[in-house]
Amino acid sequence: MPRPSWPEYFMGIARMVTARSTCLRRHVGAILVKDKRILATGYNGAPSGVRHCEEVGCLRQDSAVPSGMRHELCRGLHAEQNAIIQAAYHGISITGSTLYCTNKPCVICSKMLINAGIGTIYYDQGYDDPLADQMLEEAGVEVLRLSI
């Protein structure tokens, strides 16, 4: 097996992080990296101390909400949000870091990533979100698809 590149290595770790997801519809993992060091990880799921969708069901699924729409109708936080929160909780600066995420960030996460100073985003899968794309481009955030 050939040695993976740094982006392949970190995306592989982001994929492993998805195993902690409690979402019934999609498992997403994210890691924030700077200087080849992992700063924080996150996966999609309900906030700490709140019952998970596995326990109470999925409002989005029960209401047939399409993927990528009506993000506010969800008990969970996105993986990118949880990674940002983990860094903040532990007092870790993520300015200038790179996000590796198994899913392309939505517009809500994109706005948070822009304001957090994320310089580059690698993603694997995702849905089209033209406003997210436009805002990330306007902010000068490099977005790269990495399918391995």
Side-chain angles (χ1 to χ4, degrees):
M1 172 186 240
R3 187 174 187 204
S5 67
W6 285 110
E8 291 168 338
Y9 171 74
F10 289 123
M11 186 61 80
I13 294 171
R15 282 201 183 102
M16 176 61 74
V17 173
T18 67
R20 294 286 305 155
S21 173
T22 59
C23 180
L24 298 175
R25 293 176 65 163
R26 179 184 307 216
H27 290 203
V28 180
I31 63 172
L32 289 164
V33 175
K34 188 172 186 178
D35 299 327
K36 298 179 184 153
R37 302 291 180 255
I38 297 171
L39 303 176
T41 67
Y43 53 87
N44 57 328
S48 297
V50 175
R51 291 180 297 156
H52 296 288
C53 299
E54 296 170 329
E55 301 169 74
V56 298
C58 176
L59 176 61
R60 293 172 57 78
Q61 190 168 305
D62 295 344
S63 301
V65 176
S67 181
M69 307 295 288
R70 303 292 313 270
H71 298 289
E72 75 279 7
L73 297 177
C74 181
R75 295 178 65 80
L77 291 152
H78 288 187
E80 305 94 317
Q81 294 168 344
N82 272 324
I84 291 168
I85 291 165
Q86 276 299 309
Y89 186 87
H90 293 287
I92 299 167
S93 173
I94 58 174
T95 302
S97 65
T98 297
L99 175 78
Y100 293 86
C101 191
T102 58
N103 205 73
K104 189 176 179 186
C106 70
V107 69
I108 295 168
C109 290
S110 294
K111 290 185 280 188
M112 294 175 72
L113 294 163
I114 290 165
N115 273 0
I118 306 307
T120 305
I121 296 170
Y122 285 94
Y123 74 96
D124 182 3
Q125 302 295 316
Y127 45 83
D128 285 331
D129 192 330
L131 184 55
D133 295 340
Q134 177 188 3
M135 293 181 82
L136 289 164
E137 182 179 345
E138 187 176 335
V141 178
E142 186 176 24
V143 180
L144 304 162
R145 184 160 188 194
L146 178 65
S147 297
I148 56 172

